[in-house]
Amino acid sequence: MRVLTVNAGSSSLKLRVLDGTEVIASDDAGPDAIDDTLRDLLQRSGPVAGVGHRVVHGGSRHIAPELVDDALVADLEALTPLAPLHQPAALAGITAARTVLPGVPSVACFDTAFHHDLPVASATYAVPVAWRERFGLRRFGAHGLSYAYASRRVVELVPDARRVVVAHVGSGASVCAVLDGRSVDTTMGFTPSGGVVMSTRSGDLDPGMLLWLQSHGGLSVEEVLDGVDRHGGLTGLAGTGDVRELEQRTDDPTVRAALDVYVHRLASAVASMTVSLGGLEVLVLTGGVAERSAWVRAHLARRLAHLGVRLDEAREVPTDADTEVTGEGATVRSLVLHAREDVELARAVLDLTGHSTGRPPVTSIRAPEMSLPSSQASST
């Protein structure tokens, strides 16, 4: 059965029609052209059984794939302040699919769902309990669809691996500790702004600095958020978030310093994840930057040599392929996996609509906790 997948990222909107894991047709669209792009794509691919949508933030209530209805759309709109770079694009994709394919079920799949049962030690912020209860404050994480696929793929390639760190490094980036296929720690937090340094996002910051910028620096909340999400990260450090461009300018001290910060924070995050795992057996590198940048992979591995990570830096990594890059003398196996969030989306659609097994559709699962009301979400 063919499935349309709509993957809304912070810098792209990828449309794919899959039959199993095979891509039948694909296209990328901007939010203003998505209806026309969808129609053109479907003319080339033929009918689809369902549509799977990547949604970055599902809050505390949406912990598994769900059939899209008006109530779910309203919930996701209320969560927009927690993922302002992603949620609007996902909602645009949902609206377009429901318009172009009114009789075809749409399924929302949440990046946060993979982390919904993080251990208390990993999920809990050390803030007043009244805040946590009133506002639903916790570490939600992100990139869950990528982590879910990588976790399945690792089992196929290294069947006895239990302790795995997955680094999803693209325009957005995060790191996850996966123990026996389950997320036990991750770097992104309440929003996708936290964690490691990204293309335009700052990653973790001292909250006191943000408060100081408002109380003493005269910046508004909107200016601070804009700086953190859209003008921070590599863009704030070096003027661009394009790693390919920066790699060509490493003789520039400003650029080299930016890349040093970028890789240092990433390596520190990988190392910290091993604490939650009690060791490290496999390091997985996935996402656009991790897959395509030999420079980033090499410099990351050199900072992790004390953990037993060594790469075969001369090993060619083909585009859109899974490759083992473990080097001589390594005690940790290292894999570069092609990110296939589309496969996870299609799997969820077929499972939820009953097409994968022939059984009746699975009932959508929602946790009893309420998702953040818009009035509370906007105060973050």
Side-chain angles (χ1 to χ4, degrees), residues 39 43 72 91 112 138 186 205 246 316 334 351 357 378:
R39 290 188 177 93
Q43 283 182 346
L72 176 60
L91 288 164
T112 49
R138 56 155 289 171
T186 191
L205 295 171
L246 294 175
E316 182 179 351
S334 296
D351 285 347
T357 61
S378 62

Side-chain angles (χ1 to χ4, degrees), residues 63-94:
I63 61 173
E66 296 181 32
L67 289 168
V68 173
D69 57 21
D70 291 343
L72 176 60
V73 169
D75 268 2
L76 299 182
E77 288 174 344
L79 289 166
T80 295
L82 300 190
L85 299 184
H86 303 82
Q87 214 83 339
L91 288 164
I94 288 172

Side-chain angles (χ1 to χ4, degrees), residues 25-376:
S26 66
D27 212 332
D28 297 339
D32 297 332
I34 186 170
D35 288 48
D36 292 339
T37 307
L38 267 180
R39 290 188 177 93
D40 176 70
L41 183 69
L42 293 167
Q43 283 182 346
R44 289 186 278 126
S45 70
V48 296
V51 187
H53 299 270
R54 177 193 173 206
V55 179
V56 165
H57 218 303
S60 58
R61 188 180 182 196
H62 306 290
I63 61 173
E66 296 181 32
L67 289 168
V68 173
D69 57 21
D70 291 343
L72 176 60
V73 169
D75 268 2
L76 299 182
E77 288 174 344
L79 289 166
T80 295
L82 300 190
L85 299 184
H86 303 82
Q87 214 83 339
L91 288 164
I94 288 172
T95 298
R98 297 177 84 189
T99 300
V100 175
L101 297 166
V104 176
S106 275
V107 174
C109 304
F110 310 101
D111 266 335
T112 49
F114 188 69
H115 312 288
H116 83 273
D117 60 349
L118 279 174
V120 170
S122 299
T124 306
Y125 284 114
V127 296
V129 64
W131 293 5
R132 298 199 303 271
E133 292 178 351
R134 179 183 176 189
F135 300 113
L137 304 181
R138 56 155 289 171
R139 185 178 297 279
F140 285 108
H143 294 128
L145 293 168
S146 178
Y147 292 138
Y149 174 79
S151 299
R152 297 180 198 273
R153 186 70 175 126
V154 165
V155 171
E156 296 172 356
L157 299 173
V158 190
D160 58 346
R162 298 186 58 233
R163 296 174 174 86
V164 180
V165 170
V166 184
H168 178 103
V169 190
S171 178
S174 67
V175 184
C176 183
V178 179
L179 181 64
D180 294 327
R182 174 193 171 197
S183 172
V184 294
D185 204 353
T186 191
T187 56
M188 277 188 174
F190 186 61
T191 75
S193 299
V196 300
V197 174
M198 293 168 257
S199 176
T200 68
R201 282 170 273 173
S202 65
D204 285 345
L205 295 171
D206 179 350
M209 180 177 70
L210 301 181
L211 294 171
W212 184 92
L213 287 170
Q214 294 175 66
S215 61
H216 291 79
L219 299 185
S220 67
V221 172
E222 291 74 18
E223 287 173 318
V224 170
L225 291 175
D226 190 57
V228 166
D229 274 345
R230 295 179 173 84
H231 300 286
L234 284 172
T235 298
L237 291 168
T240 178
D242 189 333
V243 173
R244 293 168 297 185
E245 177 184 339
L246 294 175
E247 286 178 14
Q248 305 303 314
R249 297 166 48 202
T250 54
D251 56 340
D252 182 331
T254 299
V255 169
R256 188 53 190 255
L259 289 171
D260 283 344
V261 171
Y262 181 74
V263 177
H264 172 72
R265 299 288 173 81
L266 185 58
S268 297
V270 171
S272 73
M273 292 296 109
T274 68
V275 174
S276 297
L277 293 172
L280 178 62
E281 296 166 2
V282 180
L283 173 64
V284 173
L285 304 172
T286 190
V289 173
E291 294 172 39
R292 299 184 182 94
S293 176
W295 192 96
V296 169
R297 293 195 301 267
H299 283 77
L300 172 64
R302 292 170 194 172
R303 283 174 163 83
L304 297 172
H306 65 290
L307 296 178
V309 176
R310 289 181 175 81
L311 301 190
D312 179 356
E313 296 182 12
R315 179 69 183 272
E316 182 179 351
V317 177
T319 302
D320 300 346
D322 297 335
T323 308
E324 180 160 0
V325 291
T326 307
E328 184 177 354
T331 58
V332 171
R333 292 182 68 173
S334 296
L335 308 174
V336 178
L337 300 185
H338 179 47
R340 291 299 307 270
E341 292 153 313
D342 56 344
V343 171
E344 285 300 309
L345 289 168
R347 184 198 306 273
V349 171
L350 294 176
D351 285 347
L352 198 61
T353 59
H355 285 96
S356 63
T357 61
R359 294 193 296 266
V362 178
T363 302
S364 295
I365 298 174
R366 297 186 185 183
E369 297 88 357
M370 292 298 292
S371 58
L372 288 171
S374 57
S375 61
Q376 294 178 0

